[in-house]
Amino acid sequence: QVEVVTSGGGSVQTGGSLRLSCVVSSDTYRDYCMVWFRQAPGKQREGVASAEGDGRTKVADSLKDRFTVYKDVANNTLYLQMSSLTPEDAAMYYCAVELGICTDGYCLRHPDLCYWGQGLQVTVSS
């Protein structure tokens, strides 16, 4: 019903930049929230950024000065541009789809009710 395809990620040095992409395909749903999460080893998964169906976006307060998110509404693609990366940003990054409007932490509380793409490894070397 919903397919989530992610791309991007990789390895960069401290201070570098990366862009992640998430493309959603669905024959059934037209109104959904797209969310980027990340999970570092030994840490809980956390929300990074999100986008409503109409393209309105939001980035976690702690990341706003370095991360930007943009949704290509026509192509159902969500981009996460990350800059000034540090080793603390190293993590597995996930894109998820939540049906309807964005609700903070919904996919963390109800992972089975969201659609997840393949995780993207981001490595930042010092």
Side-chain angles (χ1 to χ4, degrees), residues 37 98 102-114 116:
F37 294 94
E98 170 191 345
C102 294
T103 304
D104 283 348
Y106 181 85
C107 288
L108 296 179
R109 297 189 300 274
H110 308 286
D112 292 345
L113 298 181
C114 294
W116 295 83

Side-chain angles (χ1 to χ4, degrees), residues 56-89:
R56 287 176 293 140
T57 59
K58 181 179 176 182
V59 178
D61 288 341
S62 62
L63 300 172
K64 281 181 178 177
D65 59 340
R66 299 184 296 115
F67 288 19
T68 58
V69 64
Y70 166 73
K71 183 177 180 181
D72 179 347
V73 176
N75 293 300
N76 300 317
T77 303
L78 186 65
Y79 299 99
L80 179 66
Q81 179 68 47
M82 307 182 292
S83 61
S84 301
L85 289 164
T86 74
E88 287 67 40
D89 296 311

Side-chain angles (χ1 to χ4, degrees), residues 6-10 12 16-22 36 68-70 77-83 85 120 122:
T6 54
S7 61
V12 295
S17 299
L18 280 174
R19 189 177 78 162
L20 309 182
S21 301
C22 175
W36 282 108
T68 58
V69 64
Y70 166 73
T77 303
L78 186 65
Y79 299 99
L80 179 66
Q81 179 68 47
M82 307 182 292
S83 61
L85 289 164
L120 299 173
V122 171

